[in-house]
Amino acid sequence: MTIQIGIPRVVVLIAAAAAFVLSWSSGFIIAKYGTDAAPATTVLFWRFLCVAAILAVAALARTPRRGRPRPPTWRDARPHLLIGLLSQVGYVLPIYLAVAAGVSAGTVALIDAVQPLLIATLIGPLLGLRLRSAQWVGLLLGALGVTLIVGADAAATAAFSPAYLLPLISLASLVAGTFVERRTPVRLAVGTTLAVHSGVALIVFALLAAATGTLAPPASAQFWLATVLTAVFPTLMAYGLYWYLLRRIGITPLNVLLYLVAPTTALAGTMLFGDPFTPATLAGLILGALAVLLVLLPPRRTVFSSGHIRRERRLPPS
């Protein structure tokens, strides 16, 4: 008999999923904090400059025994340039512009939470993915939870602004980036993926900041704190965990975790900025948790053994 040594795989995945939800939620909160101190293009340029510096130091700090990662060839990196453009620039920039225009961080996160249904209904069939009935129920429950919170937030809004359309652009861009990544045969290491995607974002935001005259950072402690926080948590941690989990639990289980990002962001907004936490927010949180449970719950399979039928839980494919 063999004894398993180390942390069980399911514990690692649960911890990674929890860290993903918290770090992804932090991006919306830090966006509000950062854009109060500087324009969105300024924050984003210095954010990705910090990311590039951190990744460079991490690569140089690797011991010779472990070996430093080889840079990908142009042929391997080329499709990931488009993925980075969609999932970094196309996703992050509209969010920061929306928050800077006055859209609350919670509302942006709530609009973004529609992504799982788009993945399931549009991208899933193109990739040959089939959802179980329990997963469909989970997705619909999550959508209902998001709708409750969005409805309550919209009721408190006096007027509609075109800035509310920006999160939809962000949502479409990340869905497109996820689809392209799933169709790309070349898989880069998570660290290499971060480096390529962040490099693309750094170049684009440098050009945008230079063109708009917002390249120079302000002499503000709030700005630098927001820059460092947004480089570490929603970029390195959340974005790295996104691709890590995508390759281990699949598109649908990963994206349904975004249902928990919305109420988590709403709760953080209540604690940090005094945003109202209504019964609809609580209901959305409960429905989001049920949605994740139904989608991630492994299906039963029938096992025939000595003439008896036994039901077993099957782990999600890695």
Side-chain angles (χ1 to χ4, degrees):
M1 186 175 85
T2 59
I3 300 177
Q4 183 177 359
I5 300 176
I7 302 175
R9 176 177 176 269
V10 66
V11 175
V12 174
L13 290 179
I14 291 175
F20 168 75
V21 171
L22 292 174
S23 57
W24 197 279
S25 300
S26 72
F28 301 100
I29 300 299
I30 299 172
K32 178 177 177 60
Y33 184 72
T35 53
D36 284 341
T41 48
T42 307
V43 177
L44 290 172
F45 166 70
W46 287 96
R47 162 183 172 168
F48 284 99
L49 188 61
C50 288
V51 170
I54 293 172
L55 291 175
V57 170
L60 293 174
R62 292 177 67 95
T63 61
R65 183 173 59 182
R66 294 182 61 188
R68 291 172 184 164
R70 295 181 179 179
T73 64
W74 169 250
R75 181 178 180 181
D76 292 343
R78 186 170 54 190
H80 290 273
L81 299 178
L82 175 60
I83 298 171
L85 188 64
L86 291 169
S87 59
Q88 285 284 26
V89 179
Y91 176 71
V92 175
L93 180 59
I95 287 177
Y96 273 69
L97 292 176
V99 172
V103 182
S104 70
T107 300
V108 174
L110 292 167
I111 297 174
D112 186 67
V114 181
Q115 183 187 157
L117 275 180
L118 292 180
I119 290 288
T121 57
L122 300 179
I123 304 302
L126 294 176
L127 297 177
L129 302 177
R130 298 178 61 182
L131 296 183
R132 294 176 284 111
S133 57
Q135 290 179 313
W136 276 113
V137 172
L139 289 172
L140 293 175
L141 283 178
L144 177 59
V146 170
T147 302
L148 285 175
I149 307 176
V150 170
D153 188 82
T157 302
F160 175 80
S161 168
Y164 283 86
L165 299 177
L166 289 170
L168 296 177
I169 299 174
S170 172
L171 170 64
S173 185
L174 184 59
V175 170
T178 303
F179 173 70
V180 174
E181 197 277 341
R182 290 286 83 189
R183 295 296 298 267
T184 300
V186 178
R187 293 286 185 268
L188 303 179
V190 173
T192 306
T193 300
L194 280 170
V196 173
H197 294 184
S198 299
V200 172
L202 177 60
I203 294 173
V204 173
F205 288 128
L207 294 175
L208 288 176
T212 56
T214 57
L215 196 61
S220 166
Q222 178 179 343
F223 169 80
W224 288 112
L225 177 60
T227 299
V228 173
L229 290 177
T230 195
V232 173
F233 291 103
T235 307
L236 292 174
M237 182 179 289
Y239 195 65
L241 286 171
Y242 182 88
W243 298 114
Y244 172 84
L245 290 169
L246 179 63
R247 297 169 186 180
R248 283 160 178 80
I249 64 176
I251 291 178
T252 302
L254 168 62
N255 283 279
V256 81
L257 290 176
L258 290 174
Y259 279 140
L260 293 183
V261 169
T264 301
T265 304
L267 179 60
T270 299
M271 298 173 62
L272 297 175
F273 305 120
D275 296 338
F277 190 85
T278 65
T281 306
L282 178 60
L285 177 61
I286 295 173
L287 289 174
L290 290 175
V292 172
L293 179 63
L294 287 172
V295 173
L296 296 182
L297 194 66
R300 291 185 180 274
R301 62 186 178 96
T302 302
V303 177
F304 296 90
S305 176
S306 302
H308 298 284
I309 299 177
R310 184 172 72 255
R311 297 283 185 180
E312 291 186 351
R313 288 286 182 193
R314 183 174 58 189
L315 293 176
S318 58

